[in-house]
C-alpha cells in the first residue's frame, strides 16, 4: 500500500535530501519493501553520516507530508534500523544494471511465490479466484 501511494514522493524526498548534502544518486529503484541506491558520497562524509541523515530527515518529511502514516505507525520508525552498503569499484555498470532490473525481479518472484497450485494444508488443487 505504501509502495504504490508514496513511491514518487519518497523518490523526490531522497533526491532533495541527497542534493542538499552533495550526494549524487547514480541509480535508484524503489521496491515494495526496500530501496536500492547507487550513490557517490563526497569524501568528507562517511556512509554512516549520510545514511543517518537520509533516514532521519526523510522519515520526518514523509510523516509531515503524509500525516495519516504517523497515526498508523505510532511510535514506530518509517525505515528499519539497518542498511547494507558495499563499494562499487570497477563494477559500477553491473551494479547499475542490477538496480535497474531489481524491481522486475522482485515482481516476478512475488508472482511465483503467490501462485499456489496446490493447497498446502489439504493437498487439493487450488481453484481459480480462491
Amino acid at each position: 500500500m505504501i509502495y504504490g501511494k508514496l513511491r514518487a514522493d519518497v523518490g523526490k524526498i531522497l533526491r532533495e535530501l541527497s542534493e542538499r548534502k552533495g550526494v549524487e544518486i547514480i541509480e535508484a529503484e524503489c521496491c515494495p519493501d526496500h530501496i536500492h541506491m547507487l550513490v557517490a558520497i563526497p569524501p568528507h562524509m562517511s556512509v554512516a553520516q549520510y545514511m543517518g541523515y537520509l533516514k532521519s530527515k526523510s522519515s520526518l518529511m514523509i510523516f509531515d507530508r503524509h500525516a495519516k502514516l504517523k497515526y498508523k505507525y505510532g511510535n514506530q520508525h518509517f525505515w528499519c534500523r539497518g542498511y547494507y552498503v558495499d563499494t562499487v569499484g570497477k563494477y559500477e555498470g553491473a551494479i547499475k544494471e542490477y538496480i535497474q532490473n531489481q524491481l522486475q525481479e522482485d515482481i516476478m518472484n512475488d508472482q511465483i511465490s503467490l501462485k499456489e497450485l496446490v493447497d498446502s494444508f489439504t493437498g487439493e488443487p487450488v481453484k481459480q479466484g480462491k
Side-chain angles (χ1 to χ4, degrees):
M1 180 176 108
I2 291 172
Y3 168 75
K5 294 180 180 179
L6 300 181
R7 180 177 188 218
D9 199 32
V10 169
K12 288 176 189 174
I13 289 170
L14 296 178
R15 274 190 299 280
E16 179 185 329
L17 292 172
S18 295
E19 287 173 4
R20 286 183 193 174
K21 289 293 184 181
V23 174
E24 178 189 1
I25 298 178
I26 299 166
E27 192 69 47
E29 185 62 66
C30 182
C31 297
D33 60 353
H34 62 282
I35 295 177
H36 292 271
M37 293 176 68
L38 175 60
V39 296
I41 300 173
H44 64 82
M45 181 184 301
S46 73
V47 173
Q49 285 174 316
Y50 172 67
M51 290 305 298
Y53 165 79
L54 190 66
K55 290 171 84 171
S56 65
K57 294 294 183 191
S58 65
S59 30
L60 291 173
M61 291 172 77
I62 290 165
F63 286 140
D64 186 49
R65 293 182 187 183
H66 305 277
K68 293 179 183 177
L69 290 177
K70 191 182 280 188
Y71 299 108
K72 182 176 181 176
Y73 288 102
N75 292 331
Q76 295 179 354
H77 302 283
F78 187 78
W79 303 110
C80 67
R81 282 183 52 187
Y83 56 89
Y84 172 79
V85 69
D86 200 353
T87 56
V88 174
K90 63 183 178 180
Y91 301 109
E92 182 177 332
I95 301 298
K96 278 183 181 178
E97 186 177 325
Y98 171 81
I99 291 172
Q100 291 168 354
N101 296 325
Q102 190 60 43
L103 178 60
Q104 193 59 35
E105 286 182 27
D106 280 359
I107 290 169
M108 287 178 11
N109 288 336
D110 285 348
Q111 288 173 349
I112 290 170
S113 66
L114 291 176
K115 186 174 183 178
E116 292 186 20
L117 301 175
V118 176
D119 187 311
S120 56
F121 293 106
T122 64
E124 299 293 320
V126 175
K127 296 177 184 175
Q128 288 287 9
K130 186 174 179 182

